[in-house]
Amino acid sequence: MAASRIPPGYERLKKATDELKFNMASDVETGSLLRTLAASKPSGRFLEIGTGTGLATLWIASGLDKNSSLISIDNNELLMKVATNFINDGKIEFILGDAYEWIRNYQGKKFDFIFADAMPGKYDLFEETIDLLNDGGFYIIDDMLPQPNWPLGHDEKVNQLISKLDERNDLVITKLNLSTGIILAVKK
Ligand SMILES: C[S@@+](CC[C@H](N)C(=O)[O-])C[C@H]1O[C@@H](n2cnc3c(N)ncnc32)[C@H](O)[C@@H]1O
């Protein structure tokens, strides 16, 4: 089934992303799921770790209501420039910076939705990132099924992360064989 209602501006941003040969961007299936989940959190606080060129940011943003806010962080200046050039939405705060540092130092309110799409927040600082979630909040990760761009030994990291998720009693988890393999967790 084709995804319904692609967010405005998506095709232009996708073209710019392809021109950069950025191959870590989320696809339409993941984006569509993120948007639907985002719409379930009115007045929500959203966090994306790893903006890339902003393709998933665009999907998440298109599910937000007017009282919601999204922080999206990436340490790559070029990619961040693409995202900020193409996405103009007052509900989004883009942060150019190191997510390891940001996660360690963050003192603000917790989040209702975290899309953890970089090493920090997922394979590193996992516990610290889960601590940033409100009860009932979503923690979402993709690329959990074997991918052609995985470096050697990455499958071991993936298995360890899945074990960590499975072991936590405060997370309710569903593993989806959708797109690149998505794990959706809700904090109890
Ligand atoms: C999988 S891509 C993100 C894709 C994007 N979320 C999307 O769905 O299109 C991972 C991103 O994490 C960023 N990244 C890697 N290490 C980082 C760090 N230490 N701090 C912040 N961002 C980082 C990379 O620059 C890259 O853009």
Side-chain angles (χ1 to χ4, degrees):
M1 284 181 284
S4 53
R5 282 191 284 139
I6 300 288
Y10 175 86
E11 297 297 352
R12 280 178 60 235
L13 181 54
K14 176 79 171 69
K15 191 162 172 279
T17 303
D18 291 345
E19 280 167 8
L20 276 181
K21 302 204 176 5
F22 179 66
N23 68 355
M24 292 191 290
S26 296
D27 64 12
V28 167
E29 282 182 332
T30 303
S32 179
L33 176 68
L34 291 171
R35 175 174 64 186
T36 297
L37 296 174
S40 76
K41 301 283 183 199
S43 302
R45 295 180 47 74
F46 294 74
L47 173 64
E48 180 186 32
I49 306 170
T51 311
T53 58
L55 280 170
T57 320
L58 200 62
W59 280 101
I60 297 167
S62 69
L64 304 185
D65 76 350
K66 64 178 175 23
N67 297 318
S68 293
S69 60
L70 165 63
I71 292 175
S72 185
I73 178 163
D74 204 292
N75 64 354
N76 183 309
E77 200 170 350
L78 174 68
L79 297 174
M80 185 54 88
K81 198 165 262 177
V82 175
T84 52
N85 280 347
F86 279 82
I87 306 173
N88 179 14
D89 183 332
K91 296 190 288 298
I92 307 174
E93 180 188 355
F94 286 105
I95 298 178
L96 175 63
D98 177 27
Y100 285 95
E101 224 172 277
W102 188 90
I103 292 165
R104 287 199 184 100
N105 295 330
Y106 181 75
Q107 302 274 327
K109 287 187 185 164
K110 293 191 179 197
F111 295 92
D112 303 298
F113 176 118
I114 299 176
F115 178 42
D117 204 18
M119 293 297 277
K122 189 174 174 183
Y123 297 105
D124 299 324
L125 301 182
F126 169 77
E127 279 82 13
E128 291 82 347
T129 303
I130 296 297
D131 282 349
L132 297 180
L133 262 186
N134 282 321
D135 288 352
F138 291 122
Y139 175 79
I140 307 141
I141 51 179
D142 69 357
D143 286 323
M144 301 307 284
L145 288 170
Q147 299 300 311
N149 61 355
W150 278 8
L152 201 67
H154 187 67
D155 52 342
E156 192 45 45
K157 274 183 182 290
V158 170
N159 291 337
Q160 283 171 8
L161 178 57
I162 292 174
S163 300
K164 275 194 202 174
L165 283 156
D166 278 334
E167 279 161 16
R168 283 194 68 129
N169 293 326
D170 60 346
L171 293 177
V172 182
I173 286 165
T174 292
K175 297 168 188 163
L176 296 166
N177 287 318
L178 175 84
S179 176
T180 55
I182 293 178
I183 296 187
L184 173 60
V186 174
K187 177 104 170 277
K188 282 205 286 181

